Amino acid sequence: MLQIAIIGLGAFGIRMLEELSAVGSEIIIVDKDSEKIEKYKSKAKVSYITDVINKEAFVKIIPQNVDAAILDFDNNLEPSILATHYLHQMGIKNIIVETQSDTHGELLTMAGATQVIYPELEAAKRITPLLISKQLCNYMQFSSDFSIAEVEILDELEGLSLKNSGIRQKYNLNVIACRSCNEQELLPISGPDFIFTKDCHILVAGSNEKIEAYLAKSIKKEQRGNKILLDRFLKQK
């Protein structure tokens, strides 16, 4: 069973507590706010009310063999740096720290953070593709550089078989499944002879950069169409 220390019950820390407790992790929570500890202690194996600036108390309550430590101090830099530094000195190998600022992220990395999380940035990265392309139907990001997306096919792929489409060579994307726009369920691709039809939606996996490159084709097409409409409108004035 994973043993996780969540230090600081900000919004990110609380969300991680809820997710990790739901999958049966052994969790230690630490916060100086007694009301927060009282509210969430039922989700943790052990809970402590303490200020992380007190190094002696902090070192005593965090086991050196924890699998990971998650820090969230609502973008308060001083306790984030101190706690990160203490954990690093203790030899904790996986230190995940939440912050909102790139500058803070650099300082936290220097203090010993192994991963810096920017929740607002990550949320923006997930939402932006949904807004900018009509060709994107569903999008799920699994890591900082790997996603699965359901997309409509590009015009250039219509009528081509999977093996002749060049989608893997040109876009570095793996096609996992497909469905027509009238169907509810995605079905596995039957083989390399599968033909892309006009109403086809495909489930692709790849890096965020490659998915964005694929979507950029549809965005440019949409922009060209919008420009033509605008030009026509202006000529009528």
Side-chain angles (χ1 to χ4, degrees):
M1 181 182 292
L2 285 176
Q3 186 180 49
I4 310 291
I6 299 178
I7 304 161
L9 294 176
F12 176 70
I14 292 169
R15 183 58 184 269
M16 290 303 302
L17 171 62
E18 292 173 340
E19 295 292 329
L20 288 167
S21 63
V23 296
S25 299
E26 185 177 289
I27 305 170
I28 301 165
I29 58 173
V30 182
D31 199 284
K32 65 179 181 180
D33 188 331
S34 60
E35 291 185 3
K36 284 186 177 180
I37 291 294
E38 183 64 29
K39 182 175 180 180
Y40 293 103
K41 67 180 183 182
S42 62
K43 295 182 180 292
K45 180 178 181 180
V46 185
S47 58
Y48 297 100
I49 303 168
T50 190
D51 192 330
V52 297
I53 295 177
N54 184 335
K55 181 179 179 179
E56 291 183 2
F58 183 71
V59 171
K60 285 180 181 178
I61 63 179
I62 305 299
Q64 290 186 318
N65 61 344
V66 292
D67 294 289
I70 299 170
L71 283 64
D72 178 11
F73 295 100
D74 287 327
N75 208 34
N76 191 339
L77 185 59
E78 182 181 1
S80 295
I81 287 178
L82 287 172
T84 300
H85 180 60
Y86 298 157
L87 291 166
H88 181 64
Q89 287 184 322
M90 292 168 60
I92 307 300
K93 294 182 179 180
N94 195 3
I95 306 170
I96 303 165
V97 191
E98 181 274 343
T99 191
Q100 303 293 341
S101 162
D102 289 340
T103 303
H104 288 187
E106 291 176 7
L107 293 171
L108 290 163
T109 300
M110 291 172 63
T114 55
Q115 186 176 356
V116 178
I117 303 295
Y118 304 91
E120 291 181 1
L121 175 61
E122 295 302 319
K125 284 182 177 179
R126 289 193 298 271
I127 293 169
T128 298
L130 297 172
L131 296 175
I132 64 176
S133 178
K134 294 178 182 177
Q135 204 135 1
L136 181 65
C137 307
N138 288 297
Y139 182 81
M140 183 175 293
Q141 187 167 331
F142 285 90
S143 70
S144 59
D145 196 37
F146 180 78
S147 299
I148 291 178
E150 182 187 345
V151 298
E152 296 179 7
I153 65 164
L154 298 172
D155 291 344
E156 67 189 57
L157 300 178
E158 289 180 22
L160 296 179
S161 65
L162 176 60
K163 65 182 178 183
N164 294 326
S165 67
I167 189 169
R168 186 168 186 177
Q169 294 78 10
K170 186 174 181 179
Y171 294 103
N172 288 305
L173 295 174
N174 290 311
V175 182
I176 302 171
C178 68
R179 69 180 177 91
S180 73
C181 58
N182 297 320
E183 295 174 339
Q184 296 296 320
E185 293 187 7
L186 286 156
L187 299 173
I189 294 290
S190 56
D193 294 324
F194 172 82
I195 302 295
F196 294 114
T197 58
K198 185 175 182 179
D199 66 345
C200 183
H201 289 188
I202 53 176
L203 192 67
V204 298
S207 70
N208 299 334
E209 178 184 359
K210 299 306 179 183
I211 291 175
E212 288 167 7
Y214 179 92
L215 293 172
K217 288 271 189 162
S218 65
I219 295 166
K220 289 177 181 177
K221 179 181 176 181
E222 291 163 13
Q223 289 174 338
R224 287 197 298 270
N226 290 339
K227 186 177 185 302
I228 291 171
L229 290 173
L230 178 60
D231 289 344
R232 288 176 180 172
F233 175 77
L234 293 174
K235 285 178 182 179
Q236 294 174 359
K237 296 297 178 181

